[in-house]
Amino acid sequence: MKKILIFLCCVVLLAGCKNDSKDSNPAISKDKERSQAEKIIDSVIISAGGEAYETASIDFDFRDKHYQSKRRCGQFSLSRTFTDSTGKEIKDVLSNEGFTRYVNQEKQKLADSLVTAYSNSVNSVHYFMQLPFGLNDMAVNKKLLGETSIENKPYYKIKVWFDAEGGGEDHEDEYLYWINKNNYHIDYFAYSYEVNGGGMRFRKAYNPREIKGIRFVDYKNYAPKEGENPALENLDQLYKNNKLELFSSIENKNIKVNLTETDCN
């Protein structure tokens, strides 16, 4: 799964990472003619912070690890820092240059399989935390499936999938986003994934807050009941019928944002 953050733009660095650069800017697209789905996602990104993402440094804590992302007009560094069970300080850094792990500040030499696994793990947390940033990357495809309502609110229902080239190791994963028609916020999203035997999740956003112009949310993470294998497109209906089980809560804490005044154009 990605995922899918993290947030890495027309240069594909590692098999498990999505593209992240100025192609995430709503003003940039693969095509001159914008589809309706693309225009909606443009508005979603603008409503959540828009160009502020491009020059932001964001720190936050997720579970037992500290994360930091730094972006400067297409250059990026995504990191996580934690203490392992032996008391050693581990720092993982994913950037335009690739992936590096440090143990007690000493650079480590890793097998390719571990580089891919650790890169995916770092990328995934940053990606989900900073959604909708990344939804205009070059490998992202979008389609408006229609309109619906959840809890008496109107939504656009948009499907997102990825090109094999530039889409990362898990490019076969699919996503659905429910975009609030009144404010262009992502109130719900769902995804299917293939790793670890496959599965799907449905997330509900809560606890919205804005920090220096960038919008952040936490999520209630739902899953189909054991033994059930519904279509991804039907998860909103299952949610409305109370047929999903609460799997976990996704809470990002101690968020800090610093913005650099830089013209990326």
Side-chain angles (χ1 to χ4, degrees), residues 1 3 15 36 79 83 88 92 129 136 139 145 156 188-189 221 238 246 264:
M1 329 179 310
K3 114 149 273 22
Q36 187 175 2
S79 69
T83 301
K88 296 178 180 177
D92 295 329
M129 192 270 187
N136 268 343
L145 299 184
Y156 295 112
Y188 306 88
F189 76 90
N221 194 26
L238 293 179
L246 182 62
C264 294

Side-chain angles (χ1 to χ4, degrees), residues 1-14:
M1 329 179 310
K2 221 74 316 354
K3 114 149 273 22
I4 345 164
L5 268 203
I6 306 153
F7 102 134
L8 300 165
C9 195
C10 31
V11 179
V12 178
L13 301 175
L14 300 167

